[in-house]
Short mmCIF file of all heavy atoms in Angstrom, two decimals:
data_model
loop_
_atom_site.label_atom_id
_atom_site.label_comp_id
_atom_site.label_asym_id
_atom_site.label_seq_id
_atom_site.Cartn_x
_atom_site.Cartn_y
_atom_site.Cartn_z
N GLY A 22 92.92 53.61 79.72
CA GLY A 22 92.26 52.31 79.48
C GLY A 22 91.34 51.96 80.59
O GLY A 22 90.17 51.46 80.33
N ASN A 23 91.74 52.19 81.80
CA ASN A 23 90.99 51.92 83.00
C ASN A 23 89.73 52.78 82.99
O ASN A 23 88.63 52.29 83.29
CB ASN A 23 91.70 52.14 84.29
CG ASN A 23 92.82 51.09 84.53
OD1 ASN A 23 92.73 49.99 83.94
ND2 ASN A 23 93.87 51.41 85.24
N GLN A 24 89.86 54.01 82.61
CA GLN A 24 88.72 54.95 82.57
C GLN A 24 87.69 54.49 81.55
O GLN A 24 86.47 54.51 81.75
CB GLN A 24 89.16 56.39 82.27
CG GLN A 24 89.90 56.99 83.38
CD GLN A 24 90.50 58.36 83.06
OE1 GLN A 24 90.37 58.79 81.84
NE2 GLN A 24 91.12 59.04 83.97
N LEU A 25 88.20 54.03 80.36
CA LEU A 25 87.31 53.54 79.29
C LEU A 25 86.58 52.28 79.74
O LEU A 25 85.42 52.09 79.47
CB LEU A 25 88.09 53.31 78.03
CG LEU A 25 88.58 54.61 77.34
CD1 LEU A 25 89.50 54.18 76.15
CD2 LEU A 25 87.44 55.44 76.84
N MET A 26 87.29 51.36 80.46
CA MET A 26 86.67 50.16 80.88
C MET A 26 85.61 50.46 81.95
O MET A 26 84.56 49.87 81.95
CB MET A 26 87.70 49.21 81.50
CG MET A 26 88.62 48.62 80.47
SD MET A 26 87.78 47.71 79.27
CE MET A 26 87.29 46.27 80.16
N ASP A 27 85.87 51.43 82.77
CA ASP A 27 84.83 51.85 83.84
C ASP A 27 83.56 52.41 83.07
O ASP A 27 82.43 52.06 83.50
CB ASP A 27 85.40 52.89 84.74
CG ASP A 27 86.40 52.38 85.75
OD1 ASP A 27 86.47 51.11 85.90
OD2 ASP A 27 87.10 53.18 86.35
N LYS A 28 83.74 53.21 82.12
CA LYS A 28 82.70 53.83 81.38
C LYS A 28 81.88 52.72 80.63
O LYS A 28 80.59 52.72 80.57
CB LYS A 28 83.15 54.83 80.35
CG LYS A 28 83.52 56.19 80.95
CD LYS A 28 83.91 57.17 79.94
CE LYS A 28 84.32 58.51 80.62
NZ LYS A 28 84.75 59.51 79.68
N ALA A 29 82.63 51.75 80.01
CA ALA A 29 81.93 50.64 79.36
C ALA A 29 81.05 49.81 80.40
O ALA A 29 79.98 49.37 80.07
CB ALA A 29 83.01 49.71 78.61
N GLY A 30 81.67 49.61 81.53
CA GLY A 30 80.93 48.88 82.59
C GLY A 30 79.69 49.54 83.02
O GLY A 30 78.63 48.94 83.21
N GLN A 31 79.77 50.90 83.16
CA GLN A 31 78.62 51.66 83.58
C GLN A 31 77.60 51.65 82.49
O GLN A 31 76.36 51.61 82.80
CB GLN A 31 79.02 53.11 83.85
CG GLN A 31 79.89 53.23 85.15
CD GLN A 31 80.62 54.64 85.24
OE1 GLN A 31 80.43 55.50 84.37
NE2 GLN A 31 81.30 54.82 86.37
N ALA A 32 78.01 51.68 81.28
CA ALA A 32 77.05 51.70 80.10
C ALA A 32 76.36 50.34 80.08
O ALA A 32 75.13 50.24 79.88
CB ALA A 32 77.77 52.02 78.83
N ALA A 33 77.06 49.28 80.26
CA ALA A 33 76.47 47.93 80.30
C ALA A 33 75.50 47.78 81.46
O ALA A 33 74.38 47.19 81.23
CB ALA A 33 77.55 46.86 80.40
N GLN A 34 75.84 48.33 82.62
CA GLN A 34 74.87 48.29 83.75
C GLN A 34 73.65 49.07 83.46
O GLN A 34 72.52 48.64 83.79
CB GLN A 34 75.58 48.80 85.02
CG GLN A 34 74.77 48.67 86.32
CD GLN A 34 74.41 47.25 86.60
OE1 GLN A 34 75.22 46.41 86.67
NE2 GLN A 34 73.12 46.96 86.88
N SER A 35 73.75 50.19 82.91
CA SER A 35 72.61 51.02 82.52
C SER A 35 71.71 50.38 81.56
O SER A 35 70.52 50.37 81.70
CB SER A 35 73.17 52.35 81.96
OG SER A 35 72.03 53.15 81.59
N ALA A 36 72.30 49.65 80.51
CA ALA A 36 71.56 48.96 79.57
C ALA A 36 70.82 47.82 80.20
O ALA A 36 69.65 47.56 79.91
CB ALA A 36 72.45 48.42 78.44
N GLN A 37 71.49 47.11 81.14
CA GLN A 37 70.89 45.99 81.89
C GLN A 37 69.66 46.55 82.63
O GLN A 37 68.57 45.92 82.72
CB GLN A 37 71.83 45.27 82.71
CG GLN A 37 71.29 44.09 83.53
CD GLN A 37 72.31 43.47 84.40
OE1 GLN A 37 73.39 43.94 84.58
NE2 GLN A 37 71.92 42.33 84.97
N ASP A 38 69.82 47.61 83.38
CA ASP A 38 68.78 48.22 84.22
C ASP A 38 67.61 48.57 83.30
O ASP A 38 66.43 48.36 83.67
CB ASP A 38 69.26 49.45 84.98
CG ASP A 38 70.28 49.07 86.01
OD1 ASP A 38 70.40 47.88 86.35
OD2 ASP A 38 70.99 50.00 86.54
N SER A 39 67.86 49.17 82.14
CA SER A 39 66.81 49.60 81.20
C SER A 39 66.07 48.38 80.71
O SER A 39 64.78 48.41 80.66
CB SER A 39 67.38 50.39 80.04
OG SER A 39 67.89 51.62 80.47
N ALA A 40 66.75 47.36 80.37
CA ALA A 40 66.13 46.13 79.80
C ALA A 40 65.27 45.50 80.96
O ALA A 40 64.17 45.01 80.67
CB ALA A 40 67.17 45.18 79.30
N GLN A 41 65.74 45.50 82.12
CA GLN A 41 65.06 44.89 83.27
C GLN A 41 63.74 45.70 83.54
O GLN A 41 62.67 45.11 83.71
CB GLN A 41 65.82 44.87 84.51
CG GLN A 41 65.18 44.07 85.72
CD GLN A 41 66.13 44.00 86.88
OE1 GLN A 41 67.16 44.66 86.96
NE2 GLN A 41 65.81 43.11 87.80
N GLN A 42 63.86 46.98 83.42
CA GLN A 42 62.66 47.81 83.64
C GLN A 42 61.63 47.59 82.55
O GLN A 42 60.46 47.53 82.81
CB GLN A 42 63.06 49.34 83.74
CG GLN A 42 61.87 50.28 84.06
CD GLN A 42 62.35 51.67 84.20
OE1 GLN A 42 63.40 52.07 83.86
NE2 GLN A 42 61.48 52.58 84.69
N ALA A 43 62.12 47.54 81.30
CA ALA A 43 61.19 47.30 80.19
C ALA A 43 60.48 45.91 80.33
O ALA A 43 59.32 45.85 80.08
CB ALA A 43 62.03 47.32 78.86
N GLY A 44 61.24 44.97 80.76
CA GLY A 44 60.67 43.60 81.01
C GLY A 44 59.62 43.66 82.05
O GLY A 44 58.59 43.03 81.94
N GLN A 45 59.80 44.37 83.16
CA GLN A 45 58.81 44.47 84.23
C GLN A 45 57.50 45.25 83.67
O GLN A 45 56.44 44.83 84.09
CB GLN A 45 59.39 45.24 85.31
CG GLN A 45 60.45 44.45 86.17
CD GLN A 45 61.20 45.31 87.14
OE1 GLN A 45 61.18 46.48 87.23
NE2 GLN A 45 61.91 44.57 88.04
N GLN A 46 57.75 46.24 82.83
CA GLN A 46 56.64 47.00 82.29
C GLN A 46 55.81 46.07 81.34
O GLN A 46 54.57 46.07 81.37
CB GLN A 46 57.09 48.25 81.54
CG GLN A 46 57.60 49.29 82.49
CD GLN A 46 58.17 50.45 81.77
OE1 GLN A 46 58.43 50.40 80.54
NE2 GLN A 46 58.41 51.56 82.47
N MET A 47 56.48 45.24 80.56
CA MET A 47 55.84 44.33 79.65
C MET A 47 55.04 43.28 80.53
O MET A 47 53.92 42.90 80.16
CB MET A 47 56.84 43.61 78.74
CG MET A 47 57.36 44.57 77.67
SD MET A 47 58.70 43.75 76.70
CE MET A 47 57.75 42.44 75.93
#
Side-chain angles (χ1 to χ4, degrees):
N23 289 337
Q24 290 173 356
L25 291 173
M26 291 300 289
D27 287 345
K28 285 183 181 180
Q31 290 169 359
Q34 183 64 49
S35 178
Q37 181 181 6
D38 292 346
S39 294
Q41 186 174 15
Q42 184 177 13
Q45 289 171 347
Q46 289 173 348
M47 289 175 63

